[in-house]
Amino acid sequence: MIERLEQELHPLRAKLKQHSVYKSICSVKDIQFFMENHVFAVWDFMSLLKQLQNLLSCNKIPWRPSGYPKASRLINEIVWGEESDLDRNGVPMSHFEMYLQAMRSLGASSKKIDELIVDVNAGVSMENILSKANYPSHIKNFLNFTFNVVYSNKPHIIAAVFTFGREDLIPDMFIEIIKNLKMSKEEDLADLIYYFERHIEVDSGEHGPMAIEMIKQLCGEDSKKWDEAINYSKQALELRIKLWDGILIYLENKKSLIPVE
């Protein structure tokens, strides 16, 4: 079944790998515009991950067995790497925090994502955040889909989107971006290149295979679960393409996500 899933996703994955957005990143200004948009996908990825941990491991007191010992081990190892990795200076931080660090070192504005985190810390629901936020459609639709999946509370669907719509996609995506970044000598790109290269190293060498094994465990021999995994993975890839389409427009128009006041 895993072979069928990967075969059906191949055209969308190929379309993503060949997307024009990669070749449009040619300067530090382009990188800034890209990161201001892309940071939302870096952030919401963690909610998919943590919801999987909530469902596959017991995070309640008193503790009890979750019923998913193998999947629990896999997801806890991935959480450990994503939520508490080491930056290039050996400082513990999440990959999202590394990305924010790279944004700030390059002069990209983190205003929009900072405002979102402030709302989350204040207890505002994602539904209210997205209804009031002035995000372009490519970001809003992407986030809406992610949190609809998160709140489905169905481990096999969340794991499919996490694995095939996001985690398993990351190596190809970042390799293409890095090829363009290394052409630029305008700024110190060290933080961002470290972030990308770390993702490639961890996701292709460790987390990707772990996540695929988790999908096999969660879907098992249930054909309905495999069908749902395929359907939601396709939706995730289609929305990633639309996210790239939206970012490409900002790059082509040399436009920041943050309006000049």
Side-chain angles (χ1 to χ4, degrees), residues 3-172:
E3 292 80 10
R4 174 194 159 203
L5 192 156
E6 291 179 332
Q7 183 178 6
E8 292 202 27
L9 297 184
H10 179 74
L12 289 169
R13 290 171 61 85
K15 188 173 181 180
L16 271 166
K17 188 172 182 180
Q18 298 161 10
H19 201 285
S20 299
V21 74
Y22 303 117
K23 294 180 180 178
S24 297
I25 301 173
C26 303
S27 69
V28 169
K29 187 61 68 176
D30 292 333
I31 297 168
Q32 292 170 350
F33 295 159
F34 175 85
M35 296 181 79
E36 289 168 8
N37 284 265
H38 177 241
V39 67
F40 289 92
V42 177
W43 171 75
D44 77 341
F45 169 84
M46 290 301 299
S47 290
L48 289 167
L49 175 59
K50 295 300 286 187
Q51 184 69 317
L52 276 175
Q53 188 182 40
N54 289 337
L55 294 171
L56 301 178
S57 300
C58 180
N59 293 311
K60 297 179 180 179
I61 304 299
W63 179 89
R64 58 192 177 277
S66 69
Y68 299 100
K70 290 183 180 179
S72 178
R73 178 180 175 85
L74 291 172
I75 203 65
N76 284 332
E77 286 192 28
I78 295 174
V79 168
W80 179 79
E82 294 287 344
E83 195 171 32
S84 55
D85 204 356
L86 301 176
D87 73 359
R88 67 189 183 95
N89 297 311
V91 178
M93 65 178 64
S94 67
H95 284 188
F96 170 70
E97 290 165 310
M98 286 186 202
Y99 198 86
L100 284 181
Q101 180 174 265
M103 286 182 73
R104 290 159 183 160
S105 70
L106 282 169
S109 174
S110 61
K111 179 181 178 182
K112 290 288 188 182
I113 192 68
D114 289 340
E115 290 173 347
L116 184 151
I117 298 299
V118 167
D119 282 345
V120 169
N121 287 337
V124 182
S125 70
M126 280 307 303
E127 181 180 5
N128 287 337
I129 289 173
L130 292 176
S131 66
K132 75 172 187 178
N134 185 28
Y135 299 151
S137 61
H138 62 277
I139 292 176
K140 184 170 286 191
N141 292 340
F142 192 87
L143 293 176
N144 268 319
F145 173 76
T146 295
F147 284 95
N148 284 338
V149 168
V150 166
Y151 295 134
S152 74
N153 289 325
K154 294 183 177 180
H156 65 286
I157 290 176
I158 301 170
V161 171
F162 173 86
T163 302
F164 297 108
R166 312 295 288 278
E167 184 81 343
D168 190 49
L169 178 67
I170 281 173
D172 289 344

Side-chain angles (χ1 to χ4, degrees), residues 224-241:
K224 181 181 178 182
K225 286 184 177 180
W226 280 108
D227 287 342
E228 289 179 331
I230 292 171
N231 177 43
Y232 277 89
S233 296
K234 284 182 176 178
Q235 289 183 62
L237 290 174
E238 287 164 356
L239 280 162
R240 170 71 73 170
I241 291 170

